[in-house]
Every structure is written in structure tokens, then in C-alpha cells.
């Protein structure tokens, strides 16, 4: 099958979070299964763009409201990512360093989607599936079905994967002039609560919809940032497919970012070497259990309660723990964490910012990874942690619930708690400290077990293929 993935992120071209990891891996594994999966994304001005070779495959033009824009499509020449990668360039809109966060994001992503549809509609053949990811590509199923300009795409099945339903890309109806001409009777397919809502539109118009874990699909019917009724209504075409991880990128035996590579055979030594480097670099004590947090410092991840939870843990557990936080986001949380680093120096350290290499060393060198998320559609960090022998401490939600079993339960290997609260985190840190100092043998058995858990993409990639096949 020929599958076209359309997304705002794709690792290693441009990544802000797990969406990038998934779009950089799923197509590769679909191709390994004998298919032709390709990725179309905006051409931001990233390092990957400058460091690779490209060929021009198409040039075209379309309208965004009253103004005409010119776009070009380039393709990476060597297929080094394991799939054909196409970037769409629109001068003045997509030629920026960052992926998101501009005042004109609505215009940018609408133009990207128009260009994508325009280009594909000019092909001499039709792909088998158009697979869109999150709201940035969410207007495409509508455009394919209801915009006369793209009518030759109307019979191609479209699939929407929801990585995060918190962000929906709302815009007022005053922006409807940005869209290509569409069948006026179908305006309701764009609308949710008197706004144009690209995510809701995709849920209505795509042939199939999936979330990135089973539990998140159920949770959306109860809490979906205003879309609960829509998910209840459309449940017939919605399913959950758990994300995988790219075992080629995330392999402690070969990961080039690590100070020392290791496997399940020698994890104790290997992890300690990585921990030693982290402790040296961040002024922490190698003899104490090292707790880490890696991620966006936002409410969804419960980052706002982290500073208090960390200080409460350090005090309540008599300083028998160290914390290292890597992330950026809410400026207030960033300041609180920086203050804590000075106040509890020797116990707490931070790296405010984004660092792919450091994240790898942290997955390898830490003893425990904290994920108190309020919402977690899937979560990849906990799966990376498992593979790198770092015990996840997670809230009982979404994909965390689907991938981590508490060590108190049968065949358990992690720590799970119910509430995103300072008390629950402090208590769970206490359980982890007890494991570390008093139950080392049990802890090592858990590590051996979890390093062998298979979360590779093979299974999930096949599940997506079965989903597409059911649409043909
Ligand atoms: P989300 O997509 O909601 O942010 P995921 O758990 O799916 O959460 O994926 C997060 C991805 O982003 C992981 O690959 C994680 O290692 C990475 N990541 C998040 N924040 C940072 C950071 N500050 N530095 C390096 N990597 C980060
Ligand atoms: C989103 C979710 C995260 C998920 C990722 C990849 O960013 O917040 O839970 O793992 O997408 O699907």
C-alpha cells in the first residue's frame, strides 16, 4: 500500500515531543512490512534541512484567502530515514526555525494543508491512504471530501491519529476565508461550538480515527477539552493503537549518546557509568537514587506540582534522593525549579532547555523516571526508560496505565499512583527509595524483566496496516 503521512513534526527533521518520534518511526516500520509509507511535512529552517541533500519534485501555487502563495516540494535524496521524506516550502509562512508558537500558526498550517492537497491532487495516481496526525493536518480530510478543487482526492480513505486532543487548532469563523472554496452545506463539518475546530473536523471527516493508547480512547469520552460528546458520538469509528518505540534509535547497546553502552547482561555497571557522568556534571551524589523528569514543563505533565513534590520528597525522606529535571515550558515553573536547584543544591539539579543527547544519558543513568502526568495520550518516555533499565514512576492514566504495572502487582516492574498530587509523588518516591536501599535484588530482577519487554513498532505498524486494509 502507498501511505502518505502528513504531520507537523518528524524526528530527526523537527521534533517538539512524541509526535515527532512517532512520525519518524511508524513509516519506517510500515516500509519494513513491505509497504510504501511516505511523510509530508513543512520545511522549517532546521539543521536537518541544511545538512542533507534535496531534490525539487514539484512547484505550485494556491490561494490563502485573497492572497496567492507559491509553494515548492523537495524530497530528501538518499532515503536515509527509511521512507521518502517530502518537505513543503512556503516562503514567509513555513520558513521559520521553530515548529509552533507564532501568532500566524493558523495561517501557516492552513496553507501547509492546502499545498499538500494541491500537490497530491496533481499526481497521476492516487495513494491508498492519507494518514493525518493531530490538528495541524486535521483540515485535510475535510478538504479532500468537500473542496471541489481537490475532488479527485475524495475517494481516498483518510485516517486521523490523535496524539493529543488538548490542542485542537481552534479559529474563529472570521478566518474561514483562509480555506479553499468548499460546499457551503458542509460548514457543520468544520464547526465545534461556533468555532472552526480542525481536530473536531478531522474526527468528523476522517474514515477512521485512532488514539495512541487504548485507555486514552476511553478517557476522551469523559475529558477531551470540550470534545467529549463528539467522541461518544463517533465511537464507532474510533480505536486505540498503542505507540511503539524505535528500537534502532533507542537501544542502550548501541546508543551513541551514552557514556557507556550496556545490555540486560551488564546493566548494573553500564548504568552506573552513565549515572556517574550525570552526577559529576550536575553535582549530585552517585550513592543516592537518582530520580529524573524529562519533558515539557506544562500542566498536562503536572510540571506545576513538581517543585513542591521534589522539595517535599527531599525533606520527608531525609535527603536520601537526588533529582535531575530536563525540560522547558511554563516560565513560572522554570523559575521555581531553578530556585530549588540553588536552595537544595547537591540534591536537585536542572537543565532548562531541550537536549536530545542529555535525555539519552538520563534515560540510561537514572534509577527512576517520574511521570505524574494529568493527561498522557501514550507517553514514550516511560517506554524508553523501560528499555534503558530505569524504573518508571507514573500516574495511573492513559498510555501510562497501559504500559506500566506496579511492582506490587503480578509481574509488576514499575511504580504507579492515582493522583497528580504532592502527597502521591512523595509517597511513591518513598517506595522507590525503599527498593533502592532495601530490596536491591528485587529491583534488579525488575530491571532485567522490563529491559526485555517488547515495545517495538513491528506490532503497532501492522495494526495500522490492518486498519487501512479494512477501509479498502
Ligand atoms: P509529549 O509528546 O507529550 O511531549 P512523549 O512522552 O510522547 O510526550 O514524548 C516526549 C519526547 O520528547 C521524548 O522523546 C522525550 O525524550 C523528548 N523530550 C521532551 N522534552 C525534552 C527535552 N527538554 N530535551 C530532550 N528531549 C525531550
Ligand atoms: C503526544 C502525547 C504523548 C504521546 C505522543 C506521541 O505528544 O502527549 O502522550 O506519546 O503524542 O503519540
Amino acid at each position: 500500500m502507498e501511505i502518505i503521512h502528513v504531520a507537523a513534526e518528524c524526528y530527526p527533521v523537527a521534533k517538539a515531543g512524541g509526535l515527532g518520534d512517532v512520525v519518524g518511526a511508524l513509516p519506517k516500520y510500515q516500509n519494513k512490512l513491505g509497504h510504501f509509507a511516505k511523510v509530508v511535512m513543512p520545511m522549517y529552517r532546521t539543521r536537518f534541512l541544511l545538512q542533507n541533500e534535496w531534490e525539487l519534485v514539484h512547484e505550485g501555487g494556491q490561494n490563502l484567502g485573497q492572497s496567492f502563495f507559491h509553494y515548492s516540494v523537495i524530497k530528501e535524496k538518499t532515503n536515509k530515514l527509511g521512507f521518502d521524506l517530502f518537505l513543503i516550502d512556503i516562503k514567509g509562512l513555513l520558513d521559520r526555525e521553530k515548529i509552533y508558537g507564532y501568532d500566524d500558526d493558523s495561517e501557516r498550517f492552513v496553507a501547509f494543508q492546502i499545498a499538500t492537497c494541491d500537490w497530491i491532487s496533481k499526481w497521476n495516481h492516487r495513494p491508498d491512504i492519507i494518514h493525518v496526525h493531530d490538528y495541524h493536518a486535521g483540515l485535510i480530510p475535510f478538504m479532500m471530501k468537500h473542496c471541489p478543487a481537490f475532488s479527485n482526492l475524495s475517494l481516498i480513505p483518510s485516517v486521523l491519529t490523535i496524539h493529543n486532543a488538548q490542542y485542537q487548532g481552534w479559529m474563529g469563523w472570521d478566518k474561514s476565508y483562509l480555506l479553499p472554496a468548499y460546499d457551503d452545506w458542509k460548514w457543520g463539518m468544520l464547526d465545534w461550538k461556533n468555532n472552526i475546530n480542525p481536530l473536531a473536523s478531522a474526527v468528523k471527516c476522517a474514515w477512521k480515527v485512532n488514539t495512541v493508547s487504548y485507555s486514552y480512547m476511553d478517557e476522551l469520552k469523559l475529558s477531551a477539552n470540550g470534545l467529549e460528546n463528539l467522541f461518544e458520538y463517533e465511537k464507532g469509528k474510533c480505536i486505540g493503537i498503542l505507540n511503539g518505540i524505535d528500537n534502532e534509535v533507542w537501544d542502550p547497546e548501541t546508543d551513541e549518546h551514552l557514556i557507556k553502552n550496556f545490555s540486560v547482561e551488564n546493566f548494573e555497571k553500564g548504568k552506573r557509568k552513565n549515572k556517574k557522568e550525570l552526577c559529576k556534571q550536575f553535582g549530585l551524589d552517585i550513592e543516592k537514587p537518582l530520580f529524573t523528569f524529562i519533558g515539557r514543563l506544562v500542566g498536562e505533565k503536572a510540571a506545576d506540582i513538581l517543585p513542591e513534590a521534589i522539595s517535599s520528597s527531599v525533606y520527608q525522606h531525609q535527603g536520601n534522593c537526588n533529582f535531575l529535571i530536563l525540560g522547558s515550558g511554563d516560565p513560572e515553573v522554570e523559575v521555581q525549579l531553578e530556585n530549588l536547584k540553588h536552595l537544595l543544591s547537591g540534591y536537585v539539579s536542572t537543565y532548562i532547555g531541550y537536549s536530545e543527547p542529555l535525555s539519552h544519558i538520563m534515560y540510561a543513568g537514572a534509577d527512576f523516571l517520574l511521570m505524574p502526568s494529568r493527561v498522557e495520550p501514550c507517553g514514550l518516555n516511560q517506554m524508553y526508560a523501560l528499555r534503558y533499565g530505569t524504573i518508571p514512576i507514573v500516574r495511573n492514566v492513559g498510555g501510562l496505565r497501559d504500559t506500566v504495572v506496579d511492582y506490587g502487582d503480578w509481574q509488576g516492574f514499575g511504580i504507579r499512583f492515582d493522583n497528580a498530587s504532592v502527597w502521591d509523588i512523595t509517597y511513591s518516591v518513598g517506595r522507590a527509595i525503599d527498593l533502592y536501599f532495601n530490596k536491591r535484588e528485587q529491583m534488579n530482577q525488575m530491571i532485567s524483566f522490563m529491559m526485555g519487554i517488547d515495545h517495538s513498532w513491528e506490532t503497532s505498524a501492522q495494526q495500522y496496516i490492518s486498519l487501512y486494509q479494512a477501509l479498502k
Side-chain angles (χ1 to χ4, degrees):
M1 291 182 117
E2 184 182 17
I3 306 138
I4 311 299
H5 291 274
V6 188
E9 298 179 32
C10 173
Y11 177 83
V13 192
K15 162 176 162 181
L19 169 65
D21 286 345
V22 171
V23 179
L26 172 61
K28 180 166 91 180
Y29 286 88
Q30 291 180 326
N31 287 343
K32 288 186 185 189
L33 293 172
H35 300 279
F36 299 98
K38 303 167 181 188
V39 171
V40 182
M41 67 180 294
M43 177 172 146
Y44 313 108
R45 296 307 188 254
T46 64
R47 205 173 330 148
F48 189 91
L49 175 71
L50 304 175
Q51 290 174 346
N52 288 279
E53 287 191 44
W54 304 88
E55 61 183 290
L56 181 67
V57 293
H58 181 76
E59 284 191 280
Q62 263 288 349
N63 279 331
L64 181 69
Q66 299 302 321
S67 48
F68 180 81
F69 68 88
H70 175 262
Y71 69 90
S72 47
V73 185
I74 58 171
K75 175 173 178 281
E76 194 273 317
K77 269 186 176 171
T78 63
N79 201 285
K80 70 197 293 190
L81 301 184
F83 50 81
D84 285 347
L85 169 70
F86 298 96
L87 306 185
I88 296 203
D89 190 25
I90 304 175
K91 298 256 159 31
L93 283 175
L94 300 180
D95 51 348
R96 319 244 174 108
E97 272 177 32
K98 283 194 303 174
I99 306 173
Y100 318 109
Y102 298 102
D103 289 342
D104 59 352
D105 276 358
S106 298
E107 283 78 0
R108 296 172 67 228
F109 287 109
V110 171
F112 164 64
Q113 295 173 86
I114 294 174
T116 302
C117 289
D118 188 60
W119 172 48
I120 298 175
S121 71
K122 302 257 163 23
W123 294 6
N124 294 326
H125 72 285
R126 300 283 154 260
D128 294 295
I129 295 286
I130 306 269
H131 188 151
V132 302
H133 296 262
D134 275 355
Y135 85 82
H136 326 100
L139 292 169
I140 288 180
F142 176 86
M143 290 183 190
M144 289 165 65
K145 268 188 172 163
H146 303 303
C147 292
F150 309 132
S151 60
N152 59 359
L153 305 180
S154 64
L155 296 180
I156 306 175
S158 56
V159 171
L160 163 72
T161 295
I162 300 177
H163 298 264
N164 197 332
Q166 295 298 110
Y167 307 100
Q168 301 168 3
W170 317 265
M171 43 184 167
W173 273 100
D174 55 330
K175 293 243 168 132
S176 63
Y177 74 95
L178 294 174
L179 301 175
Y182 57 87
D183 177 353
D184 281 342
W185 286 93
K186 301 295 180 196
W187 70 272
M189 298 305 240
L190 291 167
D191 184 77
W192 192 257
K193 296 189 180 156
N194 301 323
N195 278 307
I196 295 178
N197 184 318
L199 188 73
S201 169
V203 174
K204 295 179 189 183
C205 296
W207 293 30
K208 274 277 184 191
V209 175
N210 83 286
T211 53
V212 286
S213 69
Y214 324 109
S215 291
Y216 189 52
M217 189 78 258
D218 294 337
E219 289 165 9
L220 285 181
K221 288 173 214 141
L222 303 172
S223 168
N225 210 359
L227 301 188
E228 299 77 14
N229 292 343
L230 179 62
F231 285 109
E232 182 57 39
Y233 183 75
E234 296 284 9
K235 65 182 173 201
K237 68 173 178 190
C238 296
I239 61 161
I241 298 181
L242 191 66
N243 281 335
I245 59 172
D246 190 337
N247 277 346
E248 290 171 6
V249 176
W250 296 93
D251 183 354
E253 283 193 65
T254 54
D255 189 331
E256 288 175 0
H257 295 304
L258 302 194
I259 306 301
K260 173 94 185 133
N261 290 108
F262 59 93
S263 70
V264 70
E265 307 300 332
N266 60 355
F267 68 82
E268 268 192 283
K269 261 197 185 154
K271 285 185 70 66
R272 197 169 163 89
K273 285 250 164 69
N274 288 289
K275 183 175 177 183
K276 193 171 170 193
E277 172 62 27
L278 290 174
C279 291
K280 193 171 100 197
Q281 207 176 323
F282 291 95
L284 301 171
D285 181 350
I286 190 163
E287 300 309 333
K288 293 182 180 164
L290 178 59
F291 294 81
T292 51
F293 173 95
I294 300 170
R296 297 179 289 122
L297 300 174
V298 295
E300 257 178 74
K301 304 282 179 193
D304 48 311
I305 58 169
L306 263 187
E308 200 186 331
I310 292 173
S311 62
S312 148
S313 295
V314 172
Y315 287 116
Q316 298 245 357
H317 304 301
Q318 290 85 38
N320 278 321
C321 44
N322 277 183
F323 288 86
L324 178 58
I325 313 299
L326 165 62
S328 61
D330 183 344
E332 211 173 301
V333 178
E334 290 182 0
V335 169
Q336 286 174 6
L337 286 169
E338 286 295 52
N339 288 343
L340 205 59
K341 169 171 155 179
H342 297 297
L343 200 69
L344 292 175
S345 140
Y347 296 94
V348 180
S349 195
T350 57
Y351 180 107
I352 301 299
Y354 190 94
S355 169
E356 195 74 30
L358 176 59
S359 74
H360 286 241
I361 305 176
M362 287 172 67
Y363 288 118
D367 299 294
F368 300 95
L369 178 90
L370 264 179
M371 292 184 80
S373 309
R374 292 195 175 89
V375 180
E376 198 59 84
C378 177
L380 300 172
N381 299 16
Q382 81 280 12
M383 296 198 260
Y384 299 144
L386 293 173
R387 189 149 162 78
Y388 282 60
T390 295
I391 295 178
I393 305 181
V394 306
R395 186 170 164 246
N396 206 356
V397 69
L400 301 175
R401 181 206 298 267
D402 294 348
T403 52
V404 177
V405 181
D406 190 273
Y407 79 87
D409 295 336
W410 188 66
Q411 287 207 333
F413 47 82
I415 294 179
R416 247 162 69 160
F417 56 90
D418 286 330
N419 303 302
S421 70
V422 170
W423 194 90
D424 275 38
I425 297 175
T426 310
Y427 178 76
S428 303
V429 167
R431 290 182 70 206
I433 293 174
D434 180 43
L435 265 179
Y436 185 88
F437 286 114
N438 307 323
K439 300 175 182 154
R440 189 48 85 89
E441 203 172 317
Q442 184 182 0
M443 180 166 156
N444 283 345
Q445 277 168 5
M446 278 160 54
I447 294 177
S448 303
F449 178 79
M450 70 197 201
M451 284 183 76
I453 297 175
D454 182 11
H455 277 302
S456 60
W457 263 110
E458 276 86 3
T459 320
S460 314
Q462 182 54 52
Q463 282 177 298
Y464 277 105
I465 299 294
S466 307
L467 180 94
Y468 306 151
Q469 278 163 343
L471 297 177
K472 293 300 287 179

